[in-house]
């Protein structure tokens, strides 16, 4: 899609919104798949002065539930869904193609301030709706463009959901800031990504650590057209970073930010991946505030800050009166000024008085053949005796499920107290609205609490 095509489709969708009776200031649910039409729909909503609640199509619940649930306080007037959506025909739902068909009359110019609503991860509780002003998105695009040194000739491959802050600002608003193109990777897995680089000429890549891990396992070597690769969402191990660099021919740098704050820090493009996430981005102010329970927590004030959460006051949103936000993350500041994000307290599981690092279990499981993703988590031990470490895995090929091998692999590399008591092999790991693993839907003690049918369980 060219910029001219994008503008034309956006104009038609604006007319379609006006014809559907939606007006300036109204909230609209937008279920975003990985398509150019999703981008046009978002631009149309925002250009009309309406307020979109962006949801990832891969993980969104039924829009009827969203209209009455998490988005309820916003009172959305419409839900826009992909053409492939299974949502039933309903006056409150419009598909992309219906919207782009236009309607009678022309949409007026927007009058009020434009706001984007984004769901937080919801990985440890119900998701909240963050209020993001348009100016923060525009400034975020400028920051991302500076971090990756984007130029008009660049083609940015996006292998993460467009509804998330990382994918949305890193791709769409960087494109708007620089005139660069976007290559949307609409299928999971390394094959589709390598095609985007080889066949469509991607020069910059935005992806998550798991995809870089899968790339490292392919044994592919070098992509000379790619000049920059960025990872965000979790810390990437040095082994995965080295393997991904061999496959792509360029270092993979780590980026750190949140939905609430936008970009906080990013490693320079020419740096090797280490334990840090780079120095604070331009305009980011940081404070380390001592918490007697969790240590030194990072508070930040950025030019891309959210306004708070729908239905919550400033205190509940961890927003100080002076504009600083408590990220909840524990950090160190290296002599170079780079930030090191430390594991949160809940990263550790208390097994018979021993501190077991979840990340260590997950790294061992993900390194085993055929494992696409893994998560370790705590469950209460019998008789109130502390906690047990459990794990759940998702396989690249479910036919390769072998619980005994997974357990043996853990025993080879972990201390006896670190080996998970149970390893569940699931068809897919349950996800939240933003694509993070939903710990509340993982198997738990008692069959009645298991919400995903396992393929197997390792004793």
């Amino acid at each position: 899609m060219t910029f001219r095509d994008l503008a034309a489709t956006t104009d038609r969708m604006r007319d379609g919104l006006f014809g559907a009776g939606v007006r300036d200031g109204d909230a609209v649910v937008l279920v975003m798949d990985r398509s150019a039409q999703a981008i046009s729909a978002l631009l149309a909503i925002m250009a009309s002065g309406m307020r979109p609640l962006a949801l990832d199509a891969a993980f969104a619940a039924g829009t009827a539930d969203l209209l009455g649930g998490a988005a309820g306080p916003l009172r959305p007037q419409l839900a826009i869904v992909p053409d492939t959506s299974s949502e039933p025909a309903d006056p409150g739902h419009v598909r992309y193609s219906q919207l782009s068909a236009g309607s009678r009359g022309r949409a007026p110019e927007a009058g009020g301030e434009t706001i984007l609503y984004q769901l937080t991860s919801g990985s440890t509780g119900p998701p909240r709706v963050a209020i993001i002003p348009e100016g923060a998105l525009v400034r975020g695009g400028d920051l991302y463009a500076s971090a990756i040194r984007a130029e008009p000739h660049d083609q940015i491959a996006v292998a993460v959901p467009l509804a998330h802050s990382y994918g949305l600002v890193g791709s769409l608003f960087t494109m708007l800031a620089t005139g660069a193109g976007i290559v949307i990777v609409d299928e999971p897995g390394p094959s589709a990504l390598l095609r985007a680089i080889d066949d469509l000429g991607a020069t910059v890549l935005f992806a998550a650590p798991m995809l870089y891990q899968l790339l490292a396992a392919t044994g592919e070597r070098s992509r000379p057209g790619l000049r920059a690769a960025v990872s965000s969402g979790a810390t990437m191990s040095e082994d995965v970073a080295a393997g991904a660099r061999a496959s792509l021919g360029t270092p993979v740098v780590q980026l750190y930010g949140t939905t609430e704050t936008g970009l906080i820090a990013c490693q320079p493009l020419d740096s090797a991946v280490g334990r840090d996430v780079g120095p604070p981005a331009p305009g980011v102010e940081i404070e380390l505030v001592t918490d007697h329970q969790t240590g030194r927590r990072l508070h930040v004030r950025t030019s891309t800050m959210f306004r708070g959460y729908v239905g919550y006051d400033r205190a509940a949103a961890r927003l100080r009166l002076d504009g600083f936000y408590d990220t909840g993350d524990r950090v160190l500041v290296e002599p170079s000024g780079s930030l090191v994000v430390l594991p949160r307290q809940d990263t550790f599981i208390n097994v018979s008085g021993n501190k077991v690092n979840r990340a260590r279990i997950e790294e061992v499981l993900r390194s085993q053949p055929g494992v696409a993703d893994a998560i370790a988590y705590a469950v209460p031990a019998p008789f109130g005796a502390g906690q047990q470490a459990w794990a759940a895995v998702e396989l690249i090929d479910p036919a390769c499920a072998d619980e005994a091998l997974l357990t043996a692999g853990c025993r080879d590399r972990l201390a006896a107290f670190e080996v998970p008591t149970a390893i569940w092999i699931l068809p897919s790991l349950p996800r939240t609205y933003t694509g993070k693993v939903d710990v509340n839907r993982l198997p738990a003690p008692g069959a009645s609490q298991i919400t995903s049918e396992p393929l197997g369980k390792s004793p």
Side-chain angles (χ1 to χ4, degrees):
M1 176 181 280
T2 65
F3 270 91
R4 180 176 296 179
D5 293 335
L6 182 66
T9 304
T10 300
D11 283 343
R12 290 196 302 272
M13 286 187 166
R14 287 190 63 203
D15 294 343
L17 286 166
F18 186 66
V22 192
R23 296 295 181 266
D24 189 352
D26 286 344
V28 176
V29 171
L30 174 61
V31 180
M32 300 185 72
D33 63 6
R34 302 189 188 189
S35 71
Q37 282 187 307
I39 291 176
S40 291
L42 180 69
L43 291 175
I45 296 168
M46 299 186 73
S48 301
M50 301 161 196
R51 299 182 170 190
L53 169 60
L55 304 171
D56 180 23
F59 305 109
T63 52
D65 294 335
L66 292 166
L67 288 171
L74 302 177
R75 298 184 179 179
Q77 300 301 303
L78 188 69
I80 301 169
V81 299
D83 289 352
T84 55
S85 172
S86 60
E87 292 294 331
D90 184 282
H93 296 79
V94 174
R95 299 186 187 279
Y96 293 165
S97 58
Q98 293 173 308
L99 200 64
S100 62
S103 79
R104 61 186 184 279
R106 289 284 298 170
E109 293 300 316
E113 181 186 28
T114 301
I115 292 291
L116 171 69
Y117 298 115
Q118 285 188 302
L119 287 176
T120 58
S121 67
S123 56
T124 58
R128 295 181 179 183
V129 179
I131 305 167
I132 316 293
E134 181 183 23
L137 299 170
V138 173
R139 289 190 292 275
D142 291 337
L143 288 173
Y144 271 78
S146 176
I148 64 173
R149 304 173 195 165
E151 300 287 347
H153 60 77
D154 275 316
Q155 295 292 315
I156 303 172
V158 187
V160 292
L162 294 173
H164 300 182
S165 179
Y166 175 40
L168 181 66
V169 181
S171 61
L172 174 58
F173 285 89
T174 300
M175 176 192 77
L176 296 175
T178 64
I182 296 178
V183 177
I184 300 173
V185 183
D186 57 0
E187 297 178 17
S191 298
L193 179 57
L194 294 175
R195 285 197 301 271
I197 298 172
D198 294 340
D199 300 340
L200 300 178
T203 58
V204 178
L205 170 61
F206 284 90
M210 187 179 77
L211 185 51
Y212 287 115
Q213 178 181 348
L214 295 175
L215 275 172
T218 63
E220 296 280 346
R221 287 294 176 264
S222 190
R223 281 335 194 246
L226 192 73
R227 66 167 189 81
V230 182
S231 176
S232 186
T235 302
M236 187 166 47
S237 72
E238 294 185 17
D239 288 345
V240 170
R245 177 172 186 167
S247 294
L248 298 173
T250 188
V252 182
V253 298
Q254 298 196 83
L255 177 148
Y256 168 54
T258 69
T259 299
E260 293 87 349
T261 64
L263 178 62
I264 294 175
C266 184
Q267 293 177 323
L269 288 183
D270 54 359
S271 71
V273 170
R275 66 173 190 160
D276 68 276
V277 292
V284 173
E285 301 173 74
I286 69 169
E287 286 187 7
L288 298 183
V289 178
T290 300
D291 183 304
H292 294 298
Q293 291 184 332
T294 61
R296 305 184 76 187
R297 286 161 54 130
L298 177 67
H299 291 214
V300 299
R301 183 165 60 190
T302 74
S303 63
T304 54
M305 191 74 74
F306 78 136
R307 294 268 179 85
Y309 301 122
V310 172
Y312 292 86
D313 60 20
R314 293 182 69 92
R318 302 202 304 268
L319 266 174
R320 291 168 19 188
L321 292 177
D322 58 4
F324 276 82
Y325 169 72
D326 177 4
T327 65
D329 289 326
R330 300 185 306 129
V331 302
L332 295 175
V333 179
E334 295 192 324
S336 64
S338 292
L339 304 181
V340 178
V341 181
L342 302 174
R344 292 193 176 189
Q345 292 294 334
D346 60 3
T347 296
F348 296 95
I349 304 170
N350 183 7
V351 178
S352 301
N354 297 296
K355 297 296 184 182
V356 176
N357 193 330
R358 301 170 192 257
R360 177 168 166 77
I361 297 174
E362 291 164 0
E363 181 180 359
V364 169
L365 285 170
R366 288 173 183 149
S367 69
Q368 299 194 46
V371 174
D373 200 4
I375 183 168
Y377 58 104
V379 300
F383 312 111
Q387 297 175 313
Q388 290 181 339
W390 281 23
V393 300
E394 176 182 333
L395 301 180
I396 298 171
D397 181 1
C400 298
D402 192 324
E403 305 87 2
L405 283 179
L406 291 175
T407 300
C410 288
R411 287 174 177 156
D412 285 344
R413 296 179 55 187
L414 298 172
F417 65 83
E418 293 178 306
V419 176
T421 303
I423 301 176
W424 292 88
I425 299 177
L426 304 180
S428 61
L429 294 178
R431 304 280 177 175
T432 67
Y433 291 115
T434 58
K436 293 188 177 181
V437 176
D438 187 347
V439 296
N440 298 307
R441 293 166 54 209
L442 290 170
S448 62
Q449 300 179 47
I450 297 175
T451 57
S452 296
E453 184 67 27
L455 295 178
K457 180 174 82 73
S458 175

